[in-house]
Amino acid sequence: MSDGSSTEMLVTILRAEIAALGPGDRLPSSRDLITRHGVGPVTVSRAIALLAAEGAVVTRPGSGTFVAVRRPRQSGGAADTSWQAVALAGRPHVPGADPGAEPGGPDGSSTPLPAGTISLSGGYLHENLQPTRALGAALARAARRPDAWHRAPAAGLAPLRAIFARQAGAGVGPEDVLVTGGGQGALSMLFRAIAAPGGPVLVESPTYPGALAAARAAGLRPVPVPMDDDGIRPDLLADAFAMTGARLLYCQPTFHNPTGTVLSPERRRQVVDVARAAGAFLIEDDFARHLGHGRPVPLPLVADDRDGTVVQLTSLTKAASPSLRIGAVIARGPVMGRLRGMRLVDDFFVARPLQEAAVELVSNPAWDRHLRTLATALRERRTVLADALARELPDWTVAGLPSGGLHLWVRLPSSEPDTAVADAARAHGVAVNAGRRYFPAEPPAAHLRLSFAAAADQAELTEAARRLAVARAGG
């Protein structure tokens, strides 16, 4: 008898035996089946594999083979994926991945809003603020290059690395730059490269929710360090390093998300010194480098760092388009070797046509014109929204007018929960971000983050404030 027919015969016999058993009952061992049915061990293994593929049995190494729970076949209803809860047990849970979570992922910007809703949420420019024509022209020029579809170097195209190096300061060279596919993926890579799972990572409180999600997905424990009007407090940062033994700080020194704070000049040196004294890395998220409102933007922390303490993360995405997923990590020393190694494991390289388009965009005079126009538009929108809030909701406190970035950080009266306010706002046609998701621990007060860059125009910002007042009044 052939192996195939022996396997089929044994499968038929076992199906009959399984029908007489209950879920969880144990089948005879492989040795018993070999002896009882006069077949070889290969036949038994194949038969059990076929039954497992059918869902009739489950195998548990070291324990045996058991009758599976019989699930009724569904003809059009929702599939039963409840088994995944067991299979995923023990893996880090990523907040925001739940179907019922606040729309838009880490920055609340990916889920389409209902028609007529004014967006004060999200972390990207409205389409009419994006340099759409310049982007299209840059992509067209890039596509005409004869090597546009060749494999890109793992570290990124040399001209693009040079652009990011010049942007960072005179002390940074192209060899210190690794081109990345935007900021969020690079942030996830940095957390995995630098910190061991289960370890602490110090973060400003409040901070960017995408950083909290990436840290937790990497198995890290975010530890809050309070801020004030001048940024993260160096004294409490030193205490946090001493108490936790952390070897990593994540911070946003320039146009902090969500508060818009700029780390004061004296603290910029202090924070780096505190991290260096602790033998720790400092991830500088410089996402808003191109989002100033017209005043000079401070140099990044990495510009004055000579010891490899600072690892800078920057991006072109925020000032251009959500789909220009081009950023860079700037690092010195062994950590850069580790990051390059992870690049080869994760994705090999960033798509060359997109890198070529980024070079074309940033090297063209239209880019500088766009940034000047954008600075004016953001400054005007910021002022319009702040003034409208002062008129319509005078007891809501705007935490200072930021000199860059995309958001206002608003403190609510103590009697108004931020999630309830956000829900009421959405019901009245305004999307806002509840503040509690920006805190790694219990929030000290209720806040909203309001974007002045996501709405279509200044009139929408004024109307949004009016709707918020109506929602607050219960109208």
Side-chain angles (χ1 to χ4, degrees):
M1 183 179 294
S2 69
D3 289 342
S5 59
S6 297
T7 301
E8 292 171 3
M9 178 194 70
L10 183 56
V11 167
T12 300
I13 294 171
L14 291 177
R15 282 197 188 109
E17 293 184 9
I18 289 169
L21 298 174
D25 288 346
R26 189 176 185 275
L27 269 64
S29 67
S30 296
R31 181 176 299 177
D32 289 342
L33 293 175
I34 292 169
T35 302
R36 184 184 305 176
H37 299 290
V39 295
V42 173
T43 297
V44 172
S45 296
R46 289 175 176 170
I48 295 299
L50 285 171
L51 291 168
E54 294 175 1
V57 299
V58 292
T59 58
R60 299 171 188 161
S63 299
T65 303
F66 300 83
V67 177
V69 176
R70 298 183 181 93
R71 297 186 179 93
R73 290 190 175 274
Q74 298 172 335
S75 57
D80 181 7
T81 59
S82 57
W83 63 272
Q84 294 184 6
V86 177
L88 293 172
R91 299 299 304 155
H93 172 66
V94 182
D98 310 281
E102 185 172 349
D107 218 21
S109 55
S110 64
T111 302
L113 296 172
T117 300
I118 298 174
S119 178
L120 300 186
S121 65
Y124 297 112
L125 302 175
H126 189 274
E127 289 84 348
N128 61 26
L129 292 177
Q130 297 172 19
T132 306
R133 183 174 299 178
L135 283 165
L139 192 59
R141 291 193 299 271
R144 290 195 293 268
R145 295 190 176 191
D147 56 354
W149 291 98
H150 290 186
R151 175 173 177 152
L157 298 181
L160 188 55
R161 293 165 65 196
I163 288 170
F164 280 117
R166 287 196 301 271
Q167 176 182 296
V172 176
E175 69 279 3
D176 302 321
V177 179
L178 177 69
V179 176
T180 66
Q184 187 65 31
L187 182 56
S188 176
M189 178 176 67
L190 286 172
F191 283 143
R192 289 184 287 117
I194 295 175
V201 54
L202 306 186
V203 299
E204 296 151 316
S205 182
T207 191
Y208 167 49
L212 298 177
R216 288 166 177 149
L220 306 181
R221 296 183 291 106
V223 176
V225 181
M227 301 174 59
D228 59 22
D229 292 342
D230 291 323
I232 192 169
R233 289 182 50 180
D235 56 337
L236 297 180
L237 177 63
D239 291 344
F241 273 124
M243 289 188 294
T244 64
R247 292 295 178 265
L248 180 60
L249 163 66
Y250 167 82
C251 66
Q252 306 165 85
T254 305
F255 311 139
H256 172 268
N257 178 12
T259 67
T261 302
V262 176
L263 189 63
S264 66
E266 59 275 15
R267 287 192 184 179
R268 298 177 86 81
R269 184 74 261 164
Q270 292 173 0
V271 167
V272 176
D273 289 344
V274 169
R276 182 182 295 114
F281 286 98
L282 186 161
I283 296 177
E284 176 187 18
D285 191 344
D286 199 28
F287 74 98
R289 171 74 20 198
H290 301 297
L291 299 178
H293 294 172
R295 296 180 182 177
V297 179
L299 285 173
L301 301 183
V302 74
D304 296 324
D305 174 54
R306 297 293 181 272
D307 303 316
T309 297
V310 179
V311 177
Q312 190 211 31
L313 172 62
T314 189
S315 172
L316 299 176
T317 305
K318 294 294 187 182
S321 164
S323 289
L324 187 66
R325 308 301 300 172
I326 292 291
V329 169
I330 295 175
R332 300 182 180 91
V335 69
M336 176 55 88
R338 179 173 292 191
L339 292 170
R340 288 175 176 164
M342 292 185 71
R343 154 61 51 77
L344 295 176
V345 171
D346 286 355
D347 56 8
F348 295 118
F349 55 89
V350 176
R352 183 165 190 146
L354 204 57
Q355 292 193 61
E356 298 279 13
V359 173
E360 291 284 353
L361 176 70
V362 179
S363 302
N364 193 284
W367 176 246
D368 290 332
R369 290 196 297 271
H370 162 67
L371 293 182
R372 290 194 296 270
T373 301
L374 179 62
T376 300
L378 293 178
R379 182 175 65 251
E380 292 174 349
R381 284 164 168 256
R382 173 207 67 186
T383 302
V384 166
L385 180 57
D387 290 347
L389 291 173
R391 288 193 306 272
E392 302 285 353
L393 296 153
D395 56 344
W396 286 14
T397 305
V398 176
L401 288 183
S403 58
L406 307 174
H407 316 105
L408 295 180
W409 185 238
V410 180
R411 180 166 178 165
L412 303 178
S414 58
S415 61
E416 300 182 23
D418 55 358
T419 53
V421 172
D423 289 343
R426 183 172 288 266
H428 284 76
V430 184
V432 301
N433 293 123
R436 68 180 57 239
R437 63 204 301 264
Y438 296 84
F439 290 92
E442 296 82 3
H447 292 82
L448 296 179
R449 193 195 70 169
L450 306 180
S451 170
F452 45 79
D457 51 34
Q458 295 181 17
E460 277 202 352
L461 296 173
T462 302
E463 172 63 14
R466 189 195 67 79
R467 293 185 188 181
L468 288 172
V470 172
R472 196 268 190 97

